[in-house]
């Protein structure tokens, strides 16, 4: 009986002796984590860290994740300060200076872009006309689209102008042609002119951009 009491007393005394050491170790660990977190915040505040600073910060973050993060729902979570600190140097190192691309705008480029868009629209219009024709659309239904195609798409590029000698222009008109030698359309009008009903059965070809109207060069096929 005395031996049992003696063993129990020794066990109690050993626990009393170990308790201060455990408390000291726990306090020391808590203090170290606080200091690590403080140092992490200090290093993260540096806007342009050098390689040594980055290395120290990475090591401290690794230690903090390993020894100081708290388990939550079965996973280890990192304190808010350490996460913000880890994001700062990444953003700093990821910054890349880029030189904006210089785009040179020329008249030729703008004209080419415009003509390409016009040709694309004309191709779509031609496809639509063909689709309607395949679906038994009548000539009367197709005529407005066909007229628009002829006006806008048969000669898309009007950027180049040629000065015509007045005598040559007059000779072309006398031959029943337009001043540039081209054939008038079915209304007797030339390119850039619109066939217009002037009233009282009087018809004329009027420039689309305004100006004086003229009688049709010939009676045309539509009159």
């Amino acid at each position: 009986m005395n031996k049992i009491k003696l063993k129990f007393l020794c066990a109690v005394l050993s626990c009393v002796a170990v308790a201060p050491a455990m408390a000291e170790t726990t306090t020391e660990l808590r203090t170290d984590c606080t200091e690590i977190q403080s140092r992490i915040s200090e290093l993260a505040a540096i806007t342009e860290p050098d390689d040594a600073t980055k290395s120290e910060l990475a090591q401290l973050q690794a230690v903090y994740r390993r020894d100081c993060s708290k388990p939550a729902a079965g996973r280890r979570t990192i304190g808010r300060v350490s996460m913000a600190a880890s994001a700062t140097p990444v953003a700093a190192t990821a910054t890349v200076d880029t030189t904006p691309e210089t785009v040179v705008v020329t008249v030729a480029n703008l004209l080419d872009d415009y003509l390409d868009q016009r040709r694309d629209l004309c191709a779509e219009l031609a496809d639509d006309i063909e689709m309607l024709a395949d679906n038994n659309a009548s000539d009367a239904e197709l005529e407005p689209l066909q007229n628009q195609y002829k006006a806008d798409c048969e000669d898309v590029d009007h950027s180049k102008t040629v000065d015509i000698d007045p005598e040559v222009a007059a000779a072309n008109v006398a031959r029943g042609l337009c001043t540039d030698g081209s054939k008038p359309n079915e209304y007797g009008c030339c390119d850039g002119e619109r066939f217009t009903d002037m009233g009282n059965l009087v018809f004329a070809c009027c420039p689309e951009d305004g100006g004086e109207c003229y009688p049709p060069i010939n009676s045309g096929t539509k009159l």
Side-chain angles (χ1 to χ4, degrees):
M1 185 69 177
N2 291 333
K3 290 182 178 181
I4 295 175
K5 290 182 178 181
L6 180 60
K7 289 181 179 180
F8 178 75
L9 180 61
C10 291
V12 172
L13 291 176
S14 63
C15 291
V16 173
V18 172
M22 292 180 61
E24 183 179 355
T25 302
T26 303
T27 303
E28 182 180 356
L29 179 59
R30 185 180 300 113
T31 301
D32 289 345
C33 289
T34 302
E35 292 178 355
I36 290 174
Q37 190 172 8
S38 176
R39 180 58 177 167
I40 288 175
S41 300
E42 180 183 348
L43 295 176
I46 300 175
T47 56
E48 296 182 359
D50 54 19
D51 293 339
T53 302
K54 295 177 184 177
S55 177
E56 181 182 356
L57 181 59
Q59 293 176 1
L60 290 176
Q61 289 171 342
V63 173
Y64 191 89
R65 283 192 293 267
R66 184 190 64 202
D67 299 336
C68 304
S69 59
K70 300 177 181 180
R75 293 181 294 178
R76 297 175 67 83
T77 58
I78 304 173
R80 185 176 300 172
V81 174
S82 64
M83 289 182 67
S86 64
T88 301
V90 172
T93 56
T95 302
V96 178
D97 294 332
T98 58
T99 303
E101 181 181 357
T102 302
V103 179
V104 179
V105 178
T106 65
V107 173
N109 290 341
L110 293 177
L111 179 60
D112 289 342
D113 290 343
Y114 171 76
L115 292 178
D116 287 342
Q117 293 176 18
R118 279 286 303 275
R119 292 187 181 98
D120 290 341
L121 290 174
C122 287
E124 293 179 7
L125 180 57
D127 292 340
D128 291 340
I129 293 174
E130 183 178 359
M131 179 269 294
L132 291 173
D134 291 341
N135 286 273
N136 301 320
S138 67
D139 292 340
E141 292 173 326
L142 294 176
E143 183 177 2
L145 294 177
Q146 291 171 336
N147 292 341
Q148 192 67 46
Y149 184 88
K150 290 178 181 178
D152 292 344
C153 302
E154 288 187 351
D155 187 9
V156 174
D157 188 356
H158 296 279
S159 60
K160 297 180 178 62
T161 58
V162 179
D163 294 333
I164 302 174
D165 184 88
E167 293 182 1
V168 175
N172 287 334
V173 173
R175 294 165 53 200
L177 302 175
C178 298
T179 55
D180 60 358
S182 62
K183 293 182 179 181
N185 60 20
E186 60 268 32
Y187 298 101
C189 297
C190 297
D191 185 36
E193 297 176 342
R194 180 181 292 107
F195 184 71
T196 306
D197 185 355
M198 308 298 288
N200 296 324
L201 296 177
V202 176
F203 300 95
C205 297
C206 301
E208 294 179 351
D209 55 358
E212 188 177 355
C213 298
Y214 296 92
I217 293 177
N218 54 43
S219 59
T221 59
K222 291 291 184 179
L223 298 181

